[in-house]
Amino acid sequence: MPQMLLIVEPLGQRAERGRAAGEVVYQRMVDFAAELQREGLLLGVNSLGSAARRLSKRDGGAQVWDGPFAEAKEMVGGYFLLDTEDPEVALAWAERCPAAEWATVEIRGVGPCYL
């Protein structure tokens, strides 16, 4: 089961940081991804935008909500998908992830929902 590092950051943090500082931290994340790639661990990586929509289907109908969602205090800002089944390896890389300085890095295995 591959391991995913989810970057969970406070809502509004990107806007507060501003573009110049944002470009600096983004480059640090790009460099981190390159390091994972060199080690042969990177399966996928992406930054996620803050705009979101939710969809729920019940009783034959669908309902869609446009974000941002008032009840949310955090957002998933991106992820790194690692080619390792060892959660301890993923944890060690999470400790090296620059985003751990301004966000939380959540480690999760990726696999079937019945596990």
Side-chain angles (χ1 to χ4, degrees), residues 7-50:
I7 310 305
V8 182
E9 60 186 270
L11 279 176
Q13 176 176 254
R14 292 178 183 186
E16 290 171 10
R17 181 184 294 135
R19 182 169 182 134
E23 288 178 2
V24 170
V25 298
Y26 181 76
Q27 185 58 52
R28 290 182 65 200
M29 298 298 280
V30 168
D31 295 343
F32 179 67
E35 188 177 359
L36 287 167
Q37 182 71 40
R38 282 191 300 275
E39 294 293 323
L41 286 169
L42 189 64
L43 291 175
V45 59
N46 245 312
S47 178
L48 301 175
S50 58

Side-chain angles (χ1 to χ4, degrees), residues 1-5 41 82-94 107-110:
M1 168 181 314
Q3 299 291 308
M4 180 173 280
L5 307 182
L41 286 169
L82 307 185
D83 189 13
T84 180
E85 294 186 7
D86 188 341
E88 294 304 313
V89 169
L91 178 61
W93 280 97
I107 299 109
R108 285 198 192 182
V110 175

